[in-house]
Amino acid sequence: MSNEHTVKSYEEELRYLIDSVIKMGSLTESQLVDSMDAVIKVDKDSIDKIIKSDDEINKFRSKIDTQIMTLLVKRAPMAIDLRETISSLKISQDLERIGDLSKSNAKKVKPLPLDLPEELLGNLKRLGDLVIKQLNDVLDSYVNKNYDKAKEVWEKDEQVDDLTYIAMESVIDFLSKDKKNLDFSTHLIFATKNLERAGDHITNIAESICFLIKGEYLKGSRPKGKVIQQ
Amino acid sequence: MELMNEIKIKSKNLNVYYGEKQALFDVNLDLNEKEVTALIGPSGCGKSTFIRCINRMNDVIDICKVSGNIEIDGVEINDKNLDVVSLRERVGMVFQKPNPFPKSIYDNISYGPKIHGKGETKSELDEIVENSLKKAALWEEVKDRLDEPGTGLSGGQQQRLCIARAISVNPEVILMDEPCSALDPIATAKIEELIDELKKTYTIVIVTHSMAQAVRVSQKTGFFHLGKLIEVGKTEKIFKNPDNKMTQDYITGRFG
Ligand SMILES: Nc1ncnc2c1ncn2[C@@H]1O[C@H](COP(=O)(O)OP(=O)(O)OP(=O)(O)O)[C@@H](O)[C@H]1O
Ligand SMILES: [Mg+2]
């Protein structure tokens, strides 16, 4: 926003809302990093901490909801302010869902054996790293109101789909080698799927940011990678 | 695709001067039939000046000079030979402050039809009065006291009386200059509901300082600034994502 509002407190309220979304975003990002770390290192000690951090993210979400409702009734925002308000609502919803998925992945670490095959972990890590990078980029595009960068994230979800496919294959491979692996393989399958879902929420956020900046939704359907049969 | 109504009023290169001072600059604006067009903009930007061109109310201001064209149904009205009385029969006006005549409610409504030669008999006039008050959503509130003075009504009722008066001569266009600015939210809501109903029959132009009101009542919005029409478009577009930065600054309260 270039010019300032004539009413200073309105300007401050909007700024405060945007700041809350940014803070919630960085909390969500570090939670995702931690949960990915826990999975790859099969680090069972960090699970509780990650589950706890989800509470904080949820608190942010309800704080943002309250701010938005107050803004709507007090200011009846128009044009860019209206889009700013609506996109905060949508982005915070997607962030909360990403938080839930990180939490769910952390919980899956408990039953995992400590000697998972290198290749499987490697594929899972590559997927996780990409999803983390996507979240980092999309938050960056939100902070800097960078349309092109948001659109890039949206397009890159195709790669998330592809890496999900590869990671999934190596889990299935592992599973088919020994029936005894069945138990924790299902956890790994869910964890992989959760990362893909987190990727979808990130593309939603990218869409919200594009709408926020230009006032119109991205046209056409997003490029799709290999689709995994449900 | 949404269908656009036909153009009812067309202004072409409209310029207005008060003495030396120019108040409107080359305004080109089309107003669609049976639609509500809202005009917004900071105080003194020329909104009232513009709508007064549509019924030639600027004629009564000595120093006011109008050049350019205003067409209604394709016919130029900015023409010396035009019969202004019959123009004002076709183009009614409602002002910011309700201004009923110091007469009975009945006479307030029947006055216009009488001078325009509509309603020869008492029963014809009765019918016009009843219909107009019904259309203005005031009939139920005043039907038992039609001979009481119009000035004795509440502000919101007076404004609806003025709207009833405007529609009593069966106009084609109704101009409203901040019709709700002196009204409470309930009275405002009633007028807005009424506008929604009236637009089925009439072409309506409303000047308003309330952005939310413009969004609620209009299909098209024009933004004026310093005598120029800066942006005009579908109301939804103007308030969600205007093209012009000045429009955005104005509607979001960033003007300075
Ligand atoms: N009768 C008049 N004599 C001289 N100047 C006038 C007259 N009426 C309007 N003006 C000038 O013309 C310009 C436009 O005025 P106008 O009343 O059309 O503005 P507006 O947009 O309706 O403002 P507001 O929102 O305050 O009603 C102003 O600069 C005003 O001072
Ligand atoms: Mg005015």
Side-chain angles (χ1 to χ4, degrees):
Chain A
M1 275 167 283
S2 39
N3 293 359
E4 296 241 315
H5 276 104
T6 319
V7 180
K8 216 163 163 207
S9 49
Y10 185 6
E11 189 72 33
E12 281 160 7
E13 283 161 19
L14 264 176
R15 193 66 251 168
Y16 187 49
L17 173 64
I18 297 165
D19 283 348
S20 301
V21 175
I22 293 171
K23 285 200 189 110
M24 182 181 179
S26 54
L27 266 180
T28 311
E29 189 184 334
S30 43
Q31 189 204 27
L32 176 66
V33 170
D34 290 347
S35 88
M36 209 48 226
D37 231 39
V39 172
I40 300 300
K41 294 180 182 148
V42 196
D43 174 6
K44 305 188 187 200
D45 297 334
S46 59
I47 299 174
D48 286 345
K49 189 189 137 224
I50 296 165
I51 292 174
K52 271 222 188 72
S53 67
D54 198 51
D55 291 343
E56 211 178 324
I57 292 176
N58 291 345
K59 265 189 223 147
F60 250 102
R61 165 70 208 288
S62 43
K63 189 181 120 186
I64 287 169
D65 272 7
T66 313
Q67 288 179 48
I68 288 170
M69 279 197 265
T70 309
L71 253 169
L72 287 174
V73 290
K74 236 171 111 177
R75 309 293 185 186
M78 293 285 181
I80 178 71
D81 301 334
L82 178 65
R83 303 204 302 275
E84 196 77 75
T85 311
I86 296 301
S87 51
S88 314
L89 180 69
K90 291 168 76 177
I91 292 170
S92 60
Q93 274 170 354
D94 282 309
L95 288 173
E96 189 196 358
R97 299 289 299 123
I98 294 170
D100 291 342
L101 294 166
S102 301
K103 178 168 103 175
S104 157
N105 274 8
K107 283 183 180 165
K108 299 200 166 26
V109 174
K110 212 167 244 167
L112 292 183
L114 295 170
D115 57 347
L116 284 169
E118 284 291 317
E119 196 209 309
L120 190 158
L121 284 176
N123 286 336
L124 204 55
K125 183 168 181 343
R126 268 196 289 155
L127 171 62
D129 285 348
L130 179 62
V131 174
I132 290 165
K133 167 129 191 1
Q134 286 276 85
L135 181 57
N136 186 281
D137 285 350
V138 89
L139 292 173
D140 212 56
S141 74
Y142 180 67
V143 174
N144 299 311
K145 299 282 185 286
N146 186 333
Y147 180 89
D148 292 337
K149 189 154 188 179
K151 186 155 183 264
E152 222 171 85
V153 169
W154 185 73
E155 283 162 353
K156 239 168 107 180
D157 189 58
E158 188 179 13
Q159 293 177 26
V160 174
D161 293 345
D162 288 343
L163 288 187
T164 304
Y165 188 83
I166 293 167
M168 209 62 109
E169 270 189 334
S170 58
V171 178
I172 290 163
D173 202 38
F174 176 58
L175 169 68
S176 54
K177 276 192 186 123
D178 190 339
K179 280 253 170 68
K180 273 181 283 172
N181 295 337
L182 178 68
D183 215 19
F184 43 83
S185 288
T186 45
H187 292 294
L188 285 171
I189 286 174
F190 281 122
T192 311
K193 191 70 194 165
N194 280 348
L195 286 170
E196 190 204 20
R197 288 223 190 94
D200 291 338
H201 287 290
I202 292 167
T203 57
N204 286 349
I205 294 175
E207 282 173 16
S208 299
I209 294 167
C210 289
F211 172 74
L212 160 65
I213 297 170
K214 287 210 175 159
E216 53 196 45
Y217 285 101
L218 285 161
K219 290 198 180 75
S221 54
R222 173 167 64 77
K224 281 261 182 237
K226 289 190 175 139
V227 179
I228 293 162
Q229 298 302 316
Q230 299 278 352
Chain B
M1 265 301 281
E2 233 179 297
L3 283 173
M4 277 290 222
N5 290 353
E6 281 189 31
I7 296 170
K8 176 78 181 173
I9 302 166
K10 197 173 184 66
S11 89
K12 287 193 280 193
N13 299 322
L14 192 69
N15 286 286
V16 177
Y17 302 81
Y18 294 104
E20 295 286 288
K21 189 184 167 337
Q22 189 164 359
L24 287 181
F25 298 80
D26 282 325
V27 174
N28 292 290
L29 179 55
D30 292 344
L31 308 171
N32 297 333
E33 186 166 33
K34 294 180 186 171
E35 240 183 60
V36 181
T37 303
L39 303 181
I40 58 167
S43 191
C45 68
K47 305 175 298 288
S48 299
T49 301
F50 178 80
I51 63 168
R52 282 201 303 261
C53 289
I54 301 173
N55 65 349
R56 297 266 301 265
M57 280 290 275
N58 286 321
D59 286 13
V60 300
I61 304 169
D62 278 345
I63 56 168
C64 185
K65 273 209 299 291
V66 180
S67 74
N69 308 91
I70 291 241
E71 289 172 4
I72 299 184
D73 293 334
V75 177
E76 176 61 49
I77 62 149
N78 216 1
D79 175 346
K80 275 207 176 69
N81 300 319
L82 185 104
D83 175 8
V84 178
V85 175
S86 77
L87 172 69
R88 293 195 189 137
E89 189 184 333
R90 295 171 64 201
V91 184
M93 192 158 183
V94 176
F95 298 86
Q96 175 172 5
K97 269 190 34 209
N99 56 347
F101 306 134
K103 289 178 173 204
S104 71
I105 294 171
Y106 186 96
D107 289 346
N108 260 279
I109 312 290
S110 62
Y111 178 78
K114 260 192 217 156
I115 60 161
H116 289 298
K118 295 179 178 172
E120 307 274 300
T121 65
K122 169 87 169 98
S123 73
E124 274 173 350
L125 280 176
D126 285 354
E127 203 182 314
I128 292 175
V129 169
E130 181 172 339
N131 279 338
S132 306
L133 286 168
K134 276 183 174 161
K135 277 192 197 155
L138 189 58
W139 175 249
E140 288 305 320
E141 287 159 69
V142 299
K143 64 178 181 207
D144 300 323
R145 44 169 170 153
L146 292 176
D147 49 1
E148 287 175 27
T151 46
L153 296 170
S154 77
Q157 288 171 330
Q158 284 187 26
Q159 196 59 305
R160 276 179 284 147
L161 180 66
C162 293
I163 293 174
R165 189 176 65 191
I167 56 190
S168 66
V169 294
N170 198 20
E172 296 155 36
V173 179
I174 304 176
L175 310 173
M176 299 182 169
D177 199 346
E178 301 181 47
C180 301
S181 61
L183 305 183
D184 75 11
I186 304 287
T188 299
K190 280 189 186 157
I191 302 273
E192 288 179 1
E193 210 181 357
L194 176 58
I195 290 173
D196 232 29
E197 193 56 38
L198 295 177
K199 78 157 191 283
K200 293 176 188 159
T201 322
Y202 311 103
T203 301
I204 298 173
V205 189
I206 179 171
V207 171
T208 176
H209 282 291
S210 157
M211 303 300 114
Q213 178 169 68
V215 176
R216 287 193 298 265
V217 303
S218 73
Q219 287 71 55
K220 192 176 191 176
T221 296
F223 168 61
F224 282 82
H225 181 50
L226 296 175
K228 293 187 175 123
L229 178 66
I230 304 295
E231 183 170 355
V232 58
K234 282 205 171 146
T235 296
E236 228 188 85
K237 160 91 177 139
I238 297 285
F239 289 96
K240 284 185 187 158
N241 189 21
D243 288 328
N244 193 285
K245 173 135 190 334
M246 265 205 268
T247 315
Q248 168 135 307
D249 284 351
Y250 178 71
I251 61 175
T252 58
R254 286 184 172 80
F255 235 62

